[in-house]
């Protein structure tokens, strides 16, 4: 119901609702971005340990067989999660590229 005395009109009501929805979505996005950042931080802790192990045992920084398996697994997961599998693939490649850079630095 519109409270005309409070100055509400259908237009201002719709704008307020849209603003509320936008704020709620942005709060969720901020929480999810925090999860992504913490998740990546944890992932890099493990890959740093892997990099030290690889340097210690003179193993190559990249493992293409492992990467193939990761791509297949993430493509399947992405489809189930309604995420563009190509995006998931590019995202993984971007992360792995950075990990390999770190691995190479351990070898120096
Ligand atoms: O599993 C490894 O061997 C890693 O070095 C980790 C990792 C990854 O970030 O997932 C990085 C480089 C390899 O080519 C494959 C996977």
């Amino acid at each position: 119901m519109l409270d005309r005395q409070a100055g509400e009109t259908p237009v201002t009501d719709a704008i307020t609702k849209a603003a509320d929805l936008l704020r709620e979505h942005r709060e969720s996005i901020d929480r999810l971005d925090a999860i992504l950042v913490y998740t990546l931080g944890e992932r890099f802790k493990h890959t740093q340990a892997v990099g030290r192990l690889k340097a210690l045992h003179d193993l190559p920084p990249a493992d293409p067989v492992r990467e193939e398996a990761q791509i297949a697994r993430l493509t399947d997961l992405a489809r189930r999660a309604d995420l563009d599998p190509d995006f998931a693939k590019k995202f993984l490649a971007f992360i792995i590229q950075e990990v390999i850079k770190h691995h190479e630095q351990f070898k120096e």
Side-chain angles (χ1 to χ4, degrees):
M1 267 286 158
L2 287 179
D3 185 351
R4 301 261 176 219
Q5 285 195 324
E8 284 179 29
T9 66
V11 172
T12 55
D13 198 37
I15 290 171
T16 304
K17 269 191 190 148
D20 284 349
L21 272 176
L22 180 63
R23 185 181 36 78
E24 282 168 26
H25 285 303
R26 284 180 173 171
E27 283 169 3
S28 295
I29 289 166
D30 285 346
R31 281 193 290 271
L32 291 164
D33 284 349
I35 290 171
L36 281 179
V37 168
Y38 275 94
T39 301
L40 279 176
E42 286 303 305
R43 191 186 199 282
F44 275 102
K45 275 184 200 157
H46 288 283
T47 56
Q48 292 293 82
V50 169
R52 270 184 228 107
L53 263 179
K54 284 187 169 181
L56 192 63
H57 297 281
D58 213 19
L59 293 166
D63 182 341
V65 175
R66 165 75 176 147
E67 288 182 30
E68 273 307 307
Q70 287 170 290
I71 290 166
R73 181 172 170 270
L74 276 201
T75 301
D76 181 51
L77 275 176
R79 285 203 183 100
R80 292 183 213 209
D82 287 331
L83 179 70
D84 177 1
D86 269 350
F87 172 77
K89 221 166 122 175
K90 280 190 235 161
F91 186 56
L92 180 71
F94 179 65
I95 294 169
I96 289 181
Q97 185 188 39
E98 184 69 16
V99 170
I100 290 173
K101 229 190 286 171
H102 295 176
H103 286 359
E104 278 162 354
Q105 284 161 4
F106 277 122
K107 283 197 161 260
E108 286 165 8

